[in-house]
Amino acid sequence: MADNNSLDGGETVRRQINDQVMIVQILVMIFLCINLLLIVTFFKRECFYTTTRYILFAVTLLSDSMILVVTDILLILSYFRFTIQVGVCVVLCFMLYLYYTVTPFTLTAMTLERYVAICMPLRHGELCSTRNTIHCILIIHSLSFVTITVVLSTLFASVSLSFYTQFKICSMEIFFVHTWQDHIRSGISQFYFLIMCIIIVFTYVKIMKVAKAASGDDKKSTRKGLRTVVLHAFQLWLCLVQLWCPFIERAVLQIDFMLFVQVRYFNYIMFGLAPRCLSPLIYGLRDEKFFLELKSYTLFSN
């Protein structure tokens, strides 16, 4: 009788995990299709790929799409318990970790662009030129390389070359052979996010002052920019919470494995997938010029 109950319980858990994996596949496909549609729209008109905010928007779309693809690959590999060579896993995780950092940096740059546009309108054309935007993107990727380079350096110093030829289930945990490695990674990431939060608060306060002094159309435009900053702040908050997820999951794992599975799934949906759908909402639907271009060649056109 106990064996039957155990089998039934195992089957229920298996079915639940199957449903969760299917839900993730549906969400990932939806978000990827939306991102692809927005990327195609971005290249439709010259005014988009020569304007700073739209260029940075495209960077977030590409970054988020890469995150969606790689995390989904890792999820499927983990679900089927499929092992791959550690060297290949390192490449996948390198890409994932890099773009996890690129996204919040780009959001911060987009916030600064709104600050310049609203608080320094006469210098906006000079400071936010296409050339400066390309330099900004290079700086974003360079800063993003710092964290993953430190993580990889500590890994290379901690394991032998034979480690990379082993076959394991791919996950971010293979980077952290020692606990102190995770602490270093977390310290660098939190330092970055502290700087980003300071920038967000600074721009919000400055734009708020301009909003109070503005009138008519200027006030409406400033209020819209203020809401954009708030939405970027919310995205950054989700990214910041994601930093703490591994610590929470590790503590839950010591209590109950099934609870750990549920918590990890919730964290992935809430702090992994959810932030990926906010960028299309902020610029893809709220931006009038972009939305009209999107509407002109979709099924919603007249």
Side-chain angles (χ1 to χ4, degrees):
M1 185 71 175
D3 290 340
N4 289 335
N5 290 335
S6 178
L7 289 173
D8 291 341
E11 185 63 29
T12 301
V13 171
R14 186 68 178 179
R15 192 180 303 114
Q16 184 179 10
I17 293 176
N18 288 343
D19 293 341
Q20 291 176 345
V21 172
M22 287 303 300
I23 290 172
V24 169
Q25 301 311 304
I26 293 171
L27 291 175
V28 167
M29 289 303 298
I30 291 173
F31 294 156
L32 282 177
C33 288
I34 292 173
N35 286 357
L36 178 61
L37 182 62
L38 293 173
I39 291 170
V40 171
T41 304
F42 169 77
F43 287 105
K44 282 286 183 179
R45 293 181 62 182
E46 185 180 355
C47 66
F48 293 146
Y49 54 82
T50 57
T51 304
T52 296
R53 60 174 172 161
Y54 295 120
I55 296 173
L56 294 175
F57 172 50
V59 171
T60 62
L61 290 176
L62 292 170
S63 176
D64 288 346
S65 297
M66 184 64 71
I67 291 171
L68 288 172
V69 170
V70 177
T71 54
D72 195 43
I73 290 173
L74 294 180
L75 175 68
I76 293 172
L77 291 176
S78 176
Y79 173 70
F80 288 106
R81 311 296 294 176
F82 188 79
T83 60
I84 63 173
Q85 199 173 49
V86 171
V88 177
C89 179
V90 167
V91 173
L92 288 174
C93 291
F94 173 85
M95 294 170 61
L96 179 61
Y97 213 99
L98 173 66
Y99 286 104
Y100 263 138
T101 314
V102 165
T103 294
F105 270 126
T106 308
L107 291 174
T108 305
M110 294 170 78
T111 301
L112 286 173
E113 187 277 332
R114 286 293 82 199
Y115 161 73
V116 173
I118 294 170
C119 300
M120 307 167 65
L122 297 180
R123 298 198 61 194
H124 183 262
E126 173 193 348
L127 296 175
C128 298
S129 64
T130 304
R131 182 177 180 180
N132 286 343
T133 303
I134 300 302
H135 291 163
C136 177
I137 294 171
L138 292 175
I139 292 172
I140 287 171
H141 282 77
S142 298
L143 291 173
S144 301
F145 266 110
V146 171
T147 305
I148 189 61
T149 300
V150 171
V151 171
L152 285 178
S153 298
T154 59
L155 176 66
F156 294 154
S158 303
V159 299
S160 62
L161 290 176
S162 61
F163 174 77
Y164 303 102
T165 60
Q166 298 175 16
F167 283 79
K168 295 178 179 288
I169 295 175
C170 188
S171 69
M172 292 294 293
E173 281 72 22
I174 69 170
F175 278 101
F176 309 115
V177 180
H178 307 290
T179 305
W180 57 267
Q181 293 172 293
D182 195 16
H183 293 330
I184 291 176
R185 185 272 311 171
S186 179
I188 296 173
S189 298
Q190 289 182 54
F191 171 74
Y192 277 161
F193 275 97
L194 175 63
I195 299 301
M196 294 176 201
C197 289
I198 291 173
I199 291 173
I200 290 286
V201 172
F202 170 79
T203 54
Y204 181 86
V205 171
K206 290 292 185 180
I207 294 175
M208 178 68 79
K209 290 181 179 178
V210 173
K212 289 182 178 180
S215 60
D217 292 338
D218 288 340
K219 193 176 188 68
K220 182 180 179 180
S221 176
T222 304
R223 289 290 182 186
K224 188 175 181 179
L226 200 61
R227 287 194 294 270
T228 300
V229 171
V230 171
L231 287 170
H232 286 330
F234 180 65
Q235 285 181 281
L236 283 174
W237 177 77
L238 291 176
C239 294
L240 180 60
V241 172
Q242 193 174 31
L243 285 177
W244 290 96
C245 288
F247 297 102
I248 297 171
E249 292 167 5
R250 197 174 298 123
V252 173
L253 180 60
Q254 298 176 358
I255 301 172
D256 182 78
F257 178 74
M258 288 311 302
L259 180 60
F260 162 77
V261 172
Q262 297 301 321
V263 169
R264 169 164 279 196
Y265 179 74
F266 172 80
N267 288 341
Y268 177 62
I269 295 293
M270 190 66 188
F271 306 114
L273 294 185
R276 313 281 85 84
C277 71
L278 288 179
S279 290
L281 174 65
I282 294 173
Y283 274 97
L285 299 180
R286 289 181 67 249
D287 187 274
E288 184 177 353
K289 186 186 296 184
F290 203 93
F291 180 72
L292 288 176
E293 181 63 26
L294 178 66
K295 185 179 178 182
S296 68
Y297 68 95
T298 61
L299 295 176
F300 299 103
S301 59
N302 292 327

